[in-house]
Amino acid sequence: MDYFATLIALLATVPYATFFVIFYISKKITNQATRSTKLAADWSSLFFILAVNALLFLIFDYSFLIWFLVMYMVAMIIVITIQWRNEIDVNFRMAFRVVWRAGFILLAISYIVLLPIGIYMTY
């Protein structure tokens, strides 16, 4: 069990490496770059959430996991409301996918911005 926890900690510490490892493995399996990119983004989002939360905890000494959950839920409500207002069939799976991948982009940018600040705060 300690190996599993160590692996999760390592993958969350370096989420870009996690993205590229998942991309490489799925590219070898599927031979489709677009599908592999989407798959890698979907799975590495979890590790970006953990990494950005760890950096925010390091900087502010407060865990933001609940706020991440709340923001994802609010974003889901917004996307579903937009679907409903535009008279598109409300598709929860598509809404979740849009929110999840938008979260990936925001978290990847946040990681790049917060990493130097977190390194500076430790020294």
Side-chain angles (χ1 to χ4, degrees):
M1 190 65 177
D2 291 333
Y3 295 117
F4 183 71
T6 304
L7 178 65
I8 296 297
L10 179 67
L11 293 175
T13 304
V14 190
Y16 282 104
T18 305
F19 175 83
F20 288 115
V21 166
I22 295 171
F23 173 79
Y24 180 76
I25 292 170
S26 63
K27 178 83 164 76
K28 289 292 183 187
I29 293 171
T30 65
N31 269 346
Q32 296 176 351
T34 304
R35 185 173 179 202
S36 298
T37 303
K38 291 176 181 178
L39 188 67
D42 288 343
W43 284 100
S44 63
S45 289
L46 295 170
F47 298 108
F48 273 102
I49 290 170
L50 295 174
V52 170
N53 184 59
L55 286 170
L56 289 171
F57 187 80
L58 181 70
I59 295 168
F60 297 110
D61 200 31
Y62 180 78
S63 177
F64 287 86
L65 280 177
I66 298 298
W67 289 106
F68 284 141
L69 179 65
V70 169
M71 287 200 272
Y72 273 105
M73 290 170 58
V74 168
M76 274 290 285
I77 291 169
I78 291 170
V79 170
I80 290 170
T81 303
I82 290 170
Q83 286 179 350
W84 173 68
R85 294 287 234 162
N86 290 332
E87 297 181 5
I88 302 171
D89 289 338
V90 175
N91 186 342
F92 291 103
R93 185 174 183 212
M94 186 183 78
F96 180 78
R97 191 177 307 144
V98 166
V99 170
W100 191 250
R101 291 188 181 151
F104 168 77
I105 292 169
L106 289 173
L107 289 168
I109 293 169
S110 299
Y111 184 79
I112 292 172
V113 171
L114 291 173
L115 186 63
I117 296 169
I119 292 171
Y120 176 76
M121 295 292 284
T122 58
Y123 292 110

